[in-house]
Amino acid sequence: MKLIDFTQVENIFIVCGKTDMRRQIDGLAATITEEYDMDVYNDALFLFCGGNKDRFKALYWEGDGFLLLHKRLENGKLNWPRNQNEVQKLTTQQLRWLLEGLSINPKISIKPAIKGSIA
């Protein structure tokens, strides 16, 4: 058995909205295949969050079985997107931001300097 190195996973997907956190491996895998018509056996990590936004689950196929991770935060909440019935592909950077409590779509960006202006 190996633990997941998120930087080496080909695809990272976040299931937006609320997921029933009582669901286990079979229920979460069924959500991916039936509701979103995606392949759970592809090299992909799927992330799910409940209503409280203080815990999440991650589902990953390791080649010989599923790995189900469940994390509950003691302090703070996740900045989980609530667009129901949507799955978004994340970069490893966006995953880091999410797990640090930041938005996966930051609104602040560095603007290029205007030509001829002094910095």
Side-chain angles (χ1 to χ4, degrees):
M1 182 178 96
K2 63 177 181 172
L3 292 180
I4 302 172
D5 177 358
F6 296 118
T7 61
Q8 300 301 312
V9 175
E10 186 176 334
N11 299 295
I12 302 169
F13 295 104
I14 183 172
V15 178
C16 302
K18 297 177 187 177
T19 299
D20 182 351
M21 294 304 280
R22 295 173 295 181
R23 288 185 174 193
Q24 297 299 314
I25 291 172
D26 294 336
L28 296 174
T31 297
I32 296 301
T33 57
E34 294 171 10
E35 292 182 32
Y36 300 106
D37 196 30
M38 297 176 76
D39 183 8
V40 293
Y41 301 103
N42 200 354
D43 186 21
L45 177 71
F46 296 94
L47 303 165
F48 306 87
C49 184
N52 292 334
K53 295 198 246 182
D54 67 343
R55 61 197 71 199
F56 70 95
K57 287 186 177 181
L59 183 66
Y60 181 73
W61 173 254
E62 272 195 317
D64 62 351
F66 281 103
L67 180 63
L68 179 64
L69 304 170
H70 184 175
K71 181 168 183 175
R72 183 186 70 202
L73 303 173
E74 291 300 317
N75 296 310
K77 303 242 181 221
L78 296 164
N79 195 345
W80 205 270
R82 290 298 186 190
N83 309 347
Q84 286 297 117
N85 303 319
E86 182 180 5
V87 172
Q88 291 181 23
K89 187 171 182 176
L90 301 182
T91 64
T92 54
Q93 180 62 55
Q94 287 174 307
L95 177 60
R96 278 190 216 101
W97 287 336
L98 178 71
L99 299 181
E100 291 171 1
L102 302 172
S103 172
I104 59 172
N105 299 311
K107 307 227 182 313
I108 300 171
S109 63
I110 298 173
K111 296 180 179 161
I114 299 172
K115 190 174 181 179
S117 67
I118 300 175

